[in-house]
Each structure stands twice: as C-alpha cells, then as structure tokens.
Amino acid sequence: MEGVAEMSNRPAVILEDVEAALQQTGKVMDITPEDLLTIVDLTLDQAEKRQSTFEGKQWIGEIMTVPVITCTPDTTIEEAARILLEKNIHCLPVVDRENKLVGIVTESDLIFQFSAVPVGGTLRQLLGRKKAPRTGHTIGEIMVRKVTTVYPNDPIQKAIRLIIKYGYGRIPVVDGDNRLAGIVARKDILYFLR
C-alpha cells in the first residue's frame, strides 16, 4: 500500500533513534501524515544504522567477555587487590561454589578500605562521599550485594542504556539460575563501534 512505512524486517526503534531522526530534519514541524511518515522513515534508518554498527551482532552474549576473573566471599581484600592489579581489571564479580553471582567488588570498594572518614571533617565532606566505607578483612564483608545484571540473550542496547544511565563500567552477565556467564564492559561495546 502506497504511503505506508514497511516495518516487517526492520529493527526495533528506541528513543535515541527518534531523537536522531528529528535532528536530521533540522526543523520544527507541525505534524502532518506526510511529516510523520518522513520521521518514521528517518527513525527506522537510524535504527538500522545503529544495528549495523555491531556488525550483525545484537545480543549481549555475542559481545560479552568470557571467561570472567572472579573471587569468592572468602577472598581477602589483599588478594582481591593483587588480582585486580595483576590482571589489569577494575572489578571482580563475587561467586559462590556453584558459580552463582552473590556480589561484586570494585577498585573503589577496595580503595575505601584504606581511606578513613575524615575526623573533624565538615558535614559537606562527610555527605559528599559517594558511599561510606565498609570495613572488613574479606570480600564478603565489603562487597556490593545488590548487583545489576543482564542476560546473554538481552539486546546490546540494554547494556548501553544501563551504562549510560548509571555510569557502570561493566555489568555481569548471568544465566537463568544466576550463574555467571560473562561480563560486558564499555570496551566490549566500543570494540564494535570502531
């Protein structure tokens, strides 16, 4: 049918595609049916460009890093710091004996172990800290227990949205039983943007 946008084999449209399409028009529009079709066509073009950026890859499982270097709740803080330095990584997913994700520890979590709350500091200094240090000798005592995760069959765009919204550098990838399957980092996404 003439004037109807073909959408059957096109990728799903996200808000960023619509915004990019509107920027392409370069004008403010009173929406007519023809204008709407123009916007839809431009939006679908943007979605196709975004999807082709990943060389046909669209699922997190296709770009995630495996295997993942991990630690357990019993790992000492010193050992975790050594692993981060030796492997040149920024976080360690924490897993139990069944490889189920139970937490995560980052460089910042470890650094906070060695930074005392300033005695006599101003209220602004105390409130300005991103988080209060948790003290302990093992990773299980200081790890973040509530971890944002994604699944291998989630779209890459889900990881991008989480990274942009929350500023994550990396997100653990788990299976349906919460077993660690991989990790997706900013570099994994940037690799497909070159």
Side-chain angles (χ1 to χ4, degrees):
M1 176 185 296
E2 189 174 68
V4 175
E6 176 61 47
M7 294 188 227
S8 60
N9 291 324
R10 298 254 180 135
V13 176
I14 61 174
L15 179 60
E16 288 80 3
D17 298 327
V18 176
E19 290 170 347
L22 287 173
Q23 286 179 349
Q24 269 190 329
T25 65
K27 62 181 180 177
V28 176
M29 294 184 257
D30 288 329
I31 302 297
T32 66
E34 292 79 19
D35 291 336
L36 185 55
L37 279 176
T38 299
I39 292 170
V40 168
D41 282 339
L42 290 171
T43 301
L44 291 172
D45 287 345
Q46 288 299 318
E48 282 180 345
K49 286 179 191 174
R50 175 180 41 80
Q51 187 173 16
S52 68
T53 300
F54 292 103
E55 300 172 0
K57 294 181 175 31
Q58 55 184 330
W59 311 114
I60 289 172
E62 296 175 299
I63 67 165
M64 69 185 183
T65 297
V66 290
V68 182
I69 299 167
T70 63
C71 67
T72 67
D74 296 330
T75 303
T76 65
I77 290 169
E78 293 79 12
E79 176 68 8
R82 184 189 64 73
I83 293 169
L84 290 176
L85 289 170
E86 284 181 3
K87 302 296 184 180
N88 193 27
I89 55 177
H90 306 286
C91 77
L92 287 169
V94 184
V95 296
D96 66 12
R97 287 186 178 103
E98 297 175 350
N99 201 40
K100 290 188 178 183
L101 186 69
V102 295
I104 196 164
V105 65
T106 66
E107 291 170 318
S108 297
D109 297 321
L110 296 179
I111 290 169
F112 274 121
Q113 292 302 298
F114 304 102
S115 69
V117 176
V119 177
T122 66
L123 181 59
R124 173 178 267 166
Q125 288 172 322
L126 292 173
L127 296 177
R129 293 178 66 102
K130 287 193 174 187
K131 53 183 164 180
R134 294 175 304 264
T135 58
H137 299 292
T138 65
I139 293 304
E141 294 171 296
I142 68 162
M143 69 184 181
V144 173
R145 294 177 189 279
K146 185 178 179 186
V147 182
T148 299
T149 60
V150 291
Y151 297 103
N153 59 348
D154 282 341
I156 293 169
Q157 288 75 23
K158 180 176 182 179
I160 292 171
R161 284 192 300 272
L162 289 169
I163 286 169
I164 291 170
K165 184 174 183 179
Y166 298 108
Y168 297 140
R170 57 220 44 86
I171 303 169
V173 183
V174 296
D175 67 13
D177 293 322
N178 203 42
R179 286 190 176 84
L180 190 64
I183 195 161
V184 63
R186 290 178 182 185
K187 68 174 178 60
D188 297 317
I189 295 168
L190 290 175
Y191 176 79
F192 292 97
L193 297 178
R194 47 184 187 138

